[in-house]
Amino acid sequence: MSPKPYTHRDAVPYRPIDWTGIHPPAFPKGAVPGHVAIVMDGNGRWAKRRGLKRTEGHAAGEEALFDTVEGALEIGLPWMTVYAFSTENWRRPLDEVRFLMTFNESLLLRRREDLHERGVRVRFIGRRSGRVPGRLRRRIEETEALTAKNRRMTLTFAFNYGGRAELVDAVRALAGEVAAGKVAPNKIDEKAIARHLYRPDMPDPDLLVRTSGEFRISNYLLWELAYSELYFTDVLWPDFRRKHLFEAIRDFQDRDRRYGAIEGEED
């Protein structure tokens, strides 16, 4: 008789998310950033350390995500964007890619009603054509439509996303307008490019959080991160919780953001 296969439920105590057990810190008024972007990194290493398949690390990351979302809601964070699947992730083993496509579809089906009830608007950025399965695209469209009028928080999933791809798509759209005579080349400026990004109304992140001890941004929000504060933690994503988000925001509060100016002067 073959042994029972291990899952992430064998590695850690598995429980439904407790939305009420942790009280957020009393941040001073205006101290919470307007937009936090997160690179959810370390799922594979988390699984490897426990003798599990990489896919079990991705599955375990679900609790991390939604505990972090709840923490964001508790402190009144209006925008949060998470890096769910990059344009480079297609290079991973086929079974892992298939798992991620199926997992993200099932995640939306499981979680979208709960997010909707909590007033969360769910959005996606990235390329939806090409290799993204049709069923997953439909779940994305359904979830966006369901939550479109919510304004308590906007949770954006960067899926099949690359910062360079976003800029290429923006420039292509602008080039088409120039060719059609709608825009003069000498009128193209930063605002013109920003209007053609995937979500022009999305504010630039104030803070980028990356887990797992890596010190890079990995082709994530290249345009939008121009003046973002960067915070790196050794915590692997499946172990990340709202308390770690609060720690990142406390660190953010000590930063001096000058946007190219010097202290006491405006840019």
Side-chain angles (χ1 to χ4, degrees), residues 132-223:
V132 179
R135 284 179 51 176
L136 177 53
R137 290 200 300 269
R138 289 192 291 274
R139 299 295 90 78
I140 289 171
E141 292 166 1
E142 292 165 2
T143 303
E144 287 183 328
L146 174 68
T147 64
K149 295 182 180 179
N150 297 335
R151 291 296 182 272
R152 186 180 177 192
M153 185 177 77
T154 298
L155 173 62
T156 303
F157 291 87
F159 190 86
N160 195 24
Y161 173 88
R164 290 181 175 180
E166 180 176 29
L167 293 175
V168 167
D169 291 345
V171 171
R172 281 177 177 167
L174 268 173
E177 293 181 2
V178 170
K182 297 178 180 179
V183 177
N186 63 353
K187 296 297 183 181
I188 297 176
D189 55 13
E190 289 187 14
K191 291 182 179 179
I193 295 174
R195 284 196 301 270
H196 290 80
L197 299 177
Y198 292 142
R199 292 291 185 180
D201 63 333
M202 183 176 78
D204 292 343
D206 300 293
L207 173 65
L208 169 74
V209 176
R210 179 167 187 146
T211 61
S212 85
E214 301 292 349
F215 295 87
R216 56 181 179 269
I217 59 175
S218 297
N219 197 22
Y220 186 39
L221 301 174
L222 296 181
W223 179 276

Side-chain angles (χ1 to χ4, degrees), residues 105-130:
E105 180 185 359
S106 63
L107 183 145
L108 290 177
L109 290 172
R110 287 194 306 276
R111 299 289 190 173
R112 63 187 180 188
E113 290 293 342
D114 185 40
L115 291 169
H116 181 47
E117 290 174 3
R118 292 177 178 278
V120 177
R121 175 172 58 170
V122 179
R123 285 179 159 186
F124 284 77
I125 55 174
R127 291 175 170 172
R128 299 194 188 182
S129 57

Side-chain angles (χ1 to χ4, degrees), residues 24-33 71 75-76 245-251 253:
F27 289 120
K29 186 177 181 180
V32 175
I75 61 174
L245 173 66
F246 300 155
E247 289 169 3
I249 292 174
R250 288 192 193 96
D251 183 87
Q253 292 171 347

Side-chain angles (χ1 to χ4, degrees), residues 4-14 46 50 52 56:
K4 177 184 175 182
Y6 284 101
T7 73
H8 72 283
R9 291 173 176 82
D10 299 312
V12 296
Y14 190 80
W46 182 93
R50 290 159 175 79
L52 307 175
E56 294 298 332

